[in-house]
Amino acid sequence: MNRLLLSGSLLQRGAPRFTPAGLPALDLLIQHQSTVEQAGHPRQLSLEMKAQAVGEVTAVLAAMPLGRQARFAGFLASARNGRGWLFHVTEVEPADDAV
């Protein structure tokens, strides 16, 4: 199964565009920070992940203020250039405690 759940904040959002099939699309940058336990020791995590949204979810993301905390769900696929990964966001739920 290829499913990714990530909490973080919307750091950047590209200009709205349309796919060749006419679907709305957005390029995104999501920032995540947390502490996890690894081998019995705490580890600080901080990362920025390139993401893309296509379809109805783009309306929620287009209206979301930058910096807003949310829970993002979707899947990973190879980036278009074949280097690295791209997070395809299919669902977003703004965090209740976000400003």
Side-chain angles (χ1 to χ4, degrees):
M1 174 183 268
N2 182 349
R3 177 105 170 123
L4 178 64
L5 302 173
L6 184 69
S7 62
S9 61
L10 184 58
L11 193 60
Q12 291 179 5
R13 177 181 43 242
R17 59 184 176 80
F18 290 90
T19 68
L23 297 171
L26 283 173
D27 293 318
L28 312 164
L29 187 62
I30 299 169
Q31 182 179 45
H32 170 83
Q33 295 181 335
S34 66
T35 302
V36 298
E37 189 173 311
Q38 183 179 29
H41 299 281
R43 179 177 177 181
Q44 297 290 324
L45 298 179
S46 180
L47 62 92
E48 293 179 358
M49 181 173 283
K50 290 182 181 181
Q52 181 180 77
V54 176
E56 294 178 13
V57 70
T58 59
V60 176
L61 290 161
M64 184 181 292
L66 294 180
R68 177 80 187 256
Q69 291 289 319
R71 287 175 287 282
F72 302 89
F75 61 92
L76 288 176
S78 294
R80 190 174 246 187
N81 62 7
R83 294 184 175 175
W85 302 100
L86 183 63
F87 178 24
H88 290 258
V89 176
T90 58
E91 301 169 40
V92 62
E93 181 182 333
D96 294 335
D97 56 353
V99 182

